[in-house]
Every structure is written in structure tokens, then in C-alpha cells.
Amino acid sequence: MNFERLNAYRIMWVIVMFDMPTETRIDRKRYAKFRKQILDDGFNMFQFSMYIRHCMSRENAEVHVQRVKKILPQKGHIGILCITDKQFGQMEIFNGKEAAEALLPAQQLELF
Amino acid sequence: MIKRTLYFGNPAYLKTKNEQLLVELADTGEVKTAAIEDIGVLILDHQQITITHSVIAKLLANNVALITCDDIHLPTGLMLNLDGHTLQSQRFQLQVDASVPLKKQLWQQTVTAKITNQANLLAQYRIPNKTLLNLAARVKSGDSDNCEAQAAGYYWKNVFPLFPGFKRFREGEPPNNLLNYGYAVLRAIVARNLVGSGLLPTLGIFHRNQYNAYCLADDIMEPYRPYVDKVVYDIIRGNGKFLELTPSMKQQLLGIPAMDVVIDGGKSPLMNAVQRTTASLAKCFEGNSRKLLYPVLPPSFV
């Protein structure tokens, strides 16, 4: 099965970006809790305060968007974005001036 | 939703962190992660895999079919969770109380679907299949004439033209080993989806061998077997040599859950099709329907 065929199911990437206050102890605690919760939901850090998750279908992406909405912290500026696998694949990534390898989506079958 | 299949054929240490599966590969020291809720089937096929109890508990909580293999790399065990569905005890009760006529009708539909798929597979390879088509049309309630066995006799004699004397049995000559492997994967998928639909994979509609723990899975997987046969046929065609299972063959056989099948007029991955079949079976037990939904192999290449 080729990947284009799987892509017909609308493989999506959910991106959560956030800026949260860290002045007081309680703010930092809220920040740490929020970060832990999105890690528990299967998000991975892409950059500081920017977490991404691969979702096999549009419906699945919606589930994870809803989960993030449920745990929104009291303070802070948060963005949730869904983009298709194709759009995600067009992202250019650099380490300094050197081009870095693009992230690969989770394969349906993986052999370790 | 297409669940993932993970196969472990090398020494690895499986543990969990942040509700994710962490895989430490022993040779390279590399650490990889996978979301446990996205996994459908997980296969352990190396004697040096270490797995923590919390990984097993979390896998089962997410209704993952956990397959373990023996030292000759054939699947030996299948682990499923105890509560796969909220209405489980109600569904179990309905399943136990299912009437004999209903079970016979369901078995008739199953055998018809199986023989039709076998016939269509032969048609794809331009092998004469008139006998099978006739048999498929003649299946009676409960398959009292045992058309299934008659069809199997003809089918196995003709399906692998490269092996004129081929006999299908579990400990038989290759490519029986490939078939066993593929069927074991298929059985795990079916059993997993039965549990997910709140049914008991142990109580069959036709199979009732007292030593078999997955009678219902064996019933429901029948019409899906030709899909495995198709993969095996393609492996034989492509390789010629298949006395031993190579990783590339396993990769092809493990692609079965993602294979495209046509069910109810639409294309869908095999794993999702099985889900629809088991859901339709649950409806039959509930008394809301009398029709099992099975995929149909197209008689020619699409």
C-alpha cells in the first residue's frame, strides 16, 4: 500500500503553539502541567512552546484538538492549527544555515 | 481510523513514559516513541525483547492485539483486554442466547462470501473457477452440504499453479508457513475487532472445537482468508524461493491490515473492513439485522 493511498484518509498534523507566563511559582506550575498533559496526549516537541502530533485521519485530528481545548490553562496565549500531511511535508527545516531533514509521518507498519 | 502495526524483530527494551511507548533499540541505543492509543497490532518476535508490565497494561487498556512469537518466528500467543466494549455483558448474553437458525443463516452467508472470494481470486489469476461459482450459489442454511470443504478441495489444488501437488495443512510444506503467518495476523485483527464490538471471540457460530479459544474469530475470518492467499501468491511469484520467512516477506504479510478491500461498495483498509463486519455481527445478535457485511474481492485487477 503506497502512502498516497493512505493520504486519501486525510492524514493531518495538529500543531499547538503557546506562550504562557512564568513569572510566579504558580504560573510555572500551570505551564509545566499543561506541557505534561499535551505530551501525554502524544504530542512531541518541535520547538520550544511548539508541539506537533501526527493524526491518521481528520476525525482523529479533531479528537486531539478537542482534548487540548479541554485542558487550556487559565492564562496564556495558545494557538491550535491543523494542516494536511502534504502541507506539512512542504515545510523547510534548517539547522543554522544547513538544511535539515524533514520530519517523517508515523508509518502504518513499522519494523523495529 | 487506520491503527498502526508495530513489529519488533530485534533486541529491544519497551517501556512507557508520558503515556507513550518508548522503544530502546539494543544495537544502536536509539530511542523511538509511539502513541499507544494509535497502535492496533503489536508483534513481539525476538527472544531478547524486554517489556515492562505497565506497557502491557496500557496496550491492553487501548485494545491493542499483542502477539508473541516463538523461537521459529511463528505467532504463538494473542493477548486481548477483558473489557473491550461498554455494553459487553449485554452483548455476551445476546451472543450466548443467539438462536440456532440465526447462527445457521450467518454461517451460510459466511461460507457464500468465502467461496465467492476464493472464486474471484482464481478469476484474477485466470484460473477456471466455474466449480466454485456453482458451489457458492448452492450453499444452504448452516452449510449442510458442506460446500465449504468441497470448495476448499478444488481451491487448494488450483490456487498455486507453481505447486501442482500443493496440500494445505498447518505443518505442511512451504508455502504453508507463509499462509500460517498471514492467517495468524489476520486472526489477531479479527479477534481484536470482535472484542472491540463487545463480542466474545471464544463462542463461535460454527466452529466449536473445545480446544479452540478463538472459535468466533475463526468463523468471521473465513471470507478474509483469500486476501492472505493473494499476498502469499504475490510473494511466491516475486521471490521463487520461500522456504524460509525473510524480513521482506514478513513486511508484505504484515501489510495485510492496511490492504485495500472493497466492502459495501467502498474501498477501505482491511482492518476497518473487519471492524464493520464485527459491528454488523453484533447487530445480528441484537436482532436488528440478519445480514453480515463482508468484503468482496473484485474478479479482475483494479
Side-chain angles (χ1 to χ4, degrees):
Chain A
M1 180 133 138
N2 57 14
F3 209 68
E4 275 98 73
R5 174 74 187 113
L6 275 175
N7 242 331
Y9 296 94
R10 308 245 166 173
I11 293 175
M12 306 285 283
W13 289 80
V14 180
I15 304 171
V16 174
M17 299 162 281
F18 56 86
D19 268 337
M20 284 173 71
T22 49
E23 267 82 65
T24 64
R25 237 182 103 232
I26 209 134
D27 282 344
R28 283 193 292 275
K29 204 166 180 181
R30 281 188 187 136
Y31 154 76
K33 190 180 168 204
F34 179 67
R35 180 177 170 278
K36 173 84 170 62
Q37 279 174 317
I38 53 175
L39 285 176
D40 283 350
D41 194 32
F43 283 85
N44 289 311
M45 190 173 92
F46 179 65
Q47 286 172 0
F48 292 128
S49 310
M50 184 174 174
Y51 289 74
I52 54 173
R53 192 191 201 283
H54 173 264
C55 296
M56 271 297 192
S57 67
R58 181 172 275 192
E59 292 75 20
N60 188 230
E62 190 51 37
V63 168
H64 293 286
V65 170
Q66 290 301 334
R67 282 197 201 157
V68 175
K69 281 187 186 169
K70 262 197 190 149
I71 53 164
L72 289 178
Q74 277 178 340
K75 289 190 224 161
H77 188 70
I78 291 147
I80 307 173
L81 175 68
C82 286
I83 56 172
T84 63
D85 185 45
K86 190 172 181 192
Q87 291 167 326
F88 188 81
Q90 283 165 352
M91 175 167 55
E92 293 182 83
I93 305 175
F94 300 95
N95 280 336
K97 281 202 165 178
E98 274 171 45
E101 241 178 77
L103 278 105
L104 286 173
Q107 297 296 312
Q108 197 280 324
L109 170 64
E110 211 161 344
L111 299 117
F112 291 94
Chain B
M1 155 96 182
I2 310 144
K3 295 276 184 178
R4 296 176 64 191
T5 307
L6 301 185
Y7 172 86
F8 295 90
N10 287 302
Y13 176 34
L14 310 189
K15 55 183 177 179
T16 162
K17 190 185 172 192
N18 290 331
E19 307 293 317
Q20 314 299 304
L21 174 68
L22 282 195
V23 184
E24 254 180 47
L25 295 171
D27 331 337
T28 53
E30 217 181 325
V31 180
K32 286 187 173 179
T33 61
I36 289 179
E37 61 180 322
D38 291 353
I39 305 173
V41 183
L42 193 139
I43 299 159
L44 304 173
D45 186 12
H46 197 281
Q47 306 291 307
Q48 288 172 45
I49 293 171
T50 317
I51 183 164
T52 66
H53 175 237
S54 83
V55 171
I56 299 178
K58 279 176 187 161
L59 288 171
L60 294 183
N62 284 286
N63 196 13
V64 175
L66 183 63
I67 305 175
T68 51
C69 300
D70 59 10
D71 50 349
I72 53 166
H73 308 295
L74 281 177
T76 49
L78 168 61
M79 209 164 161
L80 288 167
N81 63 348
L82 271 175
D83 57 345
H85 196 272
T86 44
L87 292 176
Q88 177 154 285
S89 74
Q90 184 207 32
R91 293 264 169 101
F92 279 10
Q93 198 58 48
L94 291 167
Q95 189 185 345
V96 173
D97 295 342
S99 66
V100 175
L102 174 67
K103 285 199 240 177
K104 282 190 168 172
Q105 278 182 23
L106 295 177
W107 183 239
Q108 179 189 19
Q109 291 178 30
T110 307
V111 173
T112 312
K114 180 188 184 183
I115 301 177
T116 311
N117 279 350
Q118 288 178 331
N120 289 350
L121 183 63
L122 292 188
Q124 282 196 0
Y125 299 127
R126 297 175 198 284
I127 303 166
N129 67 347
K130 255 284 164 58
T131 330
L132 292 184
L133 288 175
N134 288 337
L135 274 170
R138 267 189 16 226
V139 182
K140 285 187 192 155
S141 179
D143 192 22
S144 49
D145 294 343
N146 210 356
C147 291
E148 191 197 8
Q150 294 178 42
Y154 180 83
Y155 177 72
W156 289 118
K157 237 178 254 160
N158 294 285
V159 70
F160 300 124
L162 293 170
F163 300 88
F166 179 76
K167 279 200 185 99
R168 164 69 194 149
F169 64 103
R170 198 170 292 174
E171 281 85 30
E173 303 274 294
N176 272 304
N177 55 348
L178 298 181
L179 291 169
N180 292 346
Y181 196 91
Y183 291 155
V185 173
L186 178 64
R187 198 180 193 211
I189 301 167
V190 174
R192 173 185 179 274
N193 281 304
L194 284 171
V195 173
S197 300
L199 299 169
L200 197 58
T202 311
L203 277 182
I205 50 177
F206 175 77
H207 286 95
R208 65 191 89 188
N209 184 333
Q210 59 175 337
Y211 302 111
N212 186 348
Y214 294 103
C215 288
L216 187 58
D218 289 345
D219 287 334
I220 299 305
M221 70 187 268
E222 293 293 353
Y224 286 91
R225 285 178 192 263
Y227 291 97
V228 176
D229 305 340
K230 184 177 156 74
V231 175
V232 172
Y233 182 97
D234 292 342
I235 291 177
I236 297 175
R237 260 286 172 82
N239 295 26
K241 282 183 190 163
F242 44 82
L243 293 170
E244 236 170 74
L245 267 172
T246 63
S248 82
M249 288 179 199
K250 274 186 203 161
Q251 186 156 17
Q252 272 171 282
L253 287 167
L254 290 170
I256 288 170
M259 235 176 127
D260 265 332
V261 306
V262 177
I263 186 166
D264 203 13
K267 256 192 189 177
S268 135
L270 185 133
M271 198 162 197
N272 297 23
V274 174
Q275 204 173 345
R276 297 190 62 185
T277 304
T278 57
S280 76
L281 177 65
K283 267 192 188 158
C284 291
F285 284 139
E286 278 174 346
N288 293 335
S289 151
R290 292 235 136 187
K291 185 148 169 41
L292 270 174
L293 208 53
Y294 278 125
V296 187
L297 251 173
S300 56
F301 288 106
V302 236

